[in-house]
Amino acid sequence: MSHRPIRYALALLLPCLFLAGALYVQGRFLRAESVSASTSAAIPASADNWGLSFPTEGESPVGNATVADLAQYDAYYLGDTEKKVIYLTFDCGYENGYTEQILDALKKHNAPAAFFVVGNMIETAPDIIRRMAAEGHIVGNHTYHHPDMSAISDQAAFRKELDSLAALYQETTGQAMPMFYRPPQGKYSEENLKQAQALGYKTVFWSLAYVDWYVDNQPTPEQAYAKLLPRIHDGAIVLLHSTSKTNAGILDDLLTKWEEMGYSFASLEELPELS
């Protein structure tokens, strides 16, 4: 049997495989360039996810928008970087049995915090919400339904997500909701920042967080400390999830460790004025 047909087929096939590989690599390169270009803009014009990089541990991370760029929209990801101060924030999608333990640790350390809550949290755990308020913590707006707010361009629809939560909070506590907003999932756009600012909100991102939200795959205390201790920095806005068993278990010790490093804790009400 002649091998010429096989050799002929291979001669045709190999250049095609080479071309396909080249196009694949080029496509990946072009996509990478596109992502790099989109995230290099001061404020993304379209939807983006809040992201950070840590060039040097112990120093402020680099966000995908700068402090100055965010400031024009009354938005923050860092606090006062001239002081050894930490702003503690918790995202609260639902009650998982750990929030009161977190509140106990905060009370022990006289540490103010901000709890960014959604409608489900207020509906199902109103006593905990009232305790947060009574103990002097900020209860911030994380929207009623936790949607991707960057997909909402209509100001009325955007406002409804925030206003409906604020109304439920006032009904539950008898107090007006503090004017701090955190975009669900960290998804935002320049238009979102403008919309929140127009409603009188300060948008609060974060400068330190770690993967703590998978309730069935919680980090060990050692894994948590490995992320939260070396990367702490002056003016850090720390994001933790109140659903985390690990966070509840380590918080007292974590706050002690940060205090031993010379840090104190401040409320978002003490964020520096933007200029």
Side-chain angles (χ1 to χ4, degrees):
M1 176 179 177
S2 172
H3 294 287
R4 286 183 181 178
I6 297 175
R7 288 199 297 270
Y8 180 74
L10 287 174
L12 290 175
L13 179 61
L14 287 174
C16 293
L17 290 173
F18 178 81
L19 178 60
L23 289 173
Y24 173 76
V25 171
Q26 182 185 39
R28 286 178 61 88
F29 176 76
L30 289 175
R31 285 195 295 274
E33 275 204 322
S34 175
V35 170
S36 175
S38 68
T39 57
S40 66
I43 298 288
S46 59
D48 203 355
N49 293 325
W50 178 246
L52 298 165
S53 62
F54 288 80
T56 306
E57 286 189 346
E59 296 184 8
S60 301
V62 177
N64 58 5
T66 69
V67 169
D69 292 329
L70 292 173
Q72 61 187 313
Y73 303 106
D74 297 327
Y76 295 80
Y77 85 95
L78 283 169
D80 190 342
T81 57
E82 300 298 316
K83 297 178 181 177
K84 291 186 74 66
V85 64
I86 296 170
Y87 307 82
L88 298 168
T89 71
F90 295 85
D91 281 6
C92 307
Y94 58 97
E95 177 49 34
N96 199 33
Y98 303 117
T99 308
E100 295 212 82
Q101 188 177 349
I102 288 169
L103 286 167
D104 290 343
L106 294 171
K107 187 174 184 178
K108 178 179 176 180
H109 289 264
N110 195 30
F115 291 87
F116 286 94
V117 305
V118 299
N120 177 74
M121 182 69 184
I122 301 179
E123 290 169 348
T124 60
D127 288 343
I128 293 177
I129 298 297
R130 284 189 282 264
R131 179 182 171 185
M132 291 173 183
E135 294 184 359
H137 300 296
I138 288 171
V139 181
N141 202 318
H142 203 35
T143 73
Y144 200 101
H145 298 100
H146 202 263
D148 175 0
M149 295 293 278
S150 68
I152 300 177
S153 58
D154 178 66
Q155 178 71 9
F158 186 96
R159 178 170 193 157
K160 184 178 180 180
E161 272 294 327
L162 275 66
D163 281 359
S164 56
L165 186 79
L168 179 61
Y169 176 80
Q170 184 153 18
E171 178 185 327
T172 302
T173 66
Q175 302 176 21
M177 181 166 241
M179 301 298 285
F180 294 93
Y181 160 66
R182 174 165 284 162
Q185 307 170 63
K187 292 185 177 181
Y188 75 105
S189 67
E190 183 176 18
E191 184 60 27
N192 289 161
L193 298 178
K194 290 178 181 177
Q195 289 168 325
Q197 184 183 44
L199 296 174
Y201 281 92
K202 291 180 179 179
T203 298
V204 182
F205 293 103
W206 58 89
S207 64
L208 178 60
Y210 78 117
V211 179
D212 62 349
W213 56 86
Y214 294 117
V215 296
D216 296 326
N217 186 22
Q218 281 286 285
T220 65
E222 292 72 25
Q223 290 170 330
Y225 290 138
K227 294 292 185 183
L228 297 171
L229 294 178
R231 289 183 171 181
I232 197 62
H233 49 275
D234 296 356
I237 297 177
V238 178
L239 163 60
L240 302 172
H241 284 81
S242 65
T243 54
S244 166
K245 180 179 180 180
T246 297
N247 288 342
I250 70 170
L251 188 60
D252 181 13
D253 188 51
L254 176 64
L255 299 184
T256 298
K257 290 179 184 296
W258 277 336
E259 287 168 333
E260 290 171 347
M261 295 170 69
Y263 286 97
S264 60
F265 307 105
S267 168
L268 294 183
E269 297 283 3
E270 300 172 59
L271 285 170
E273 289 297 319
L274 299 172
S275 57

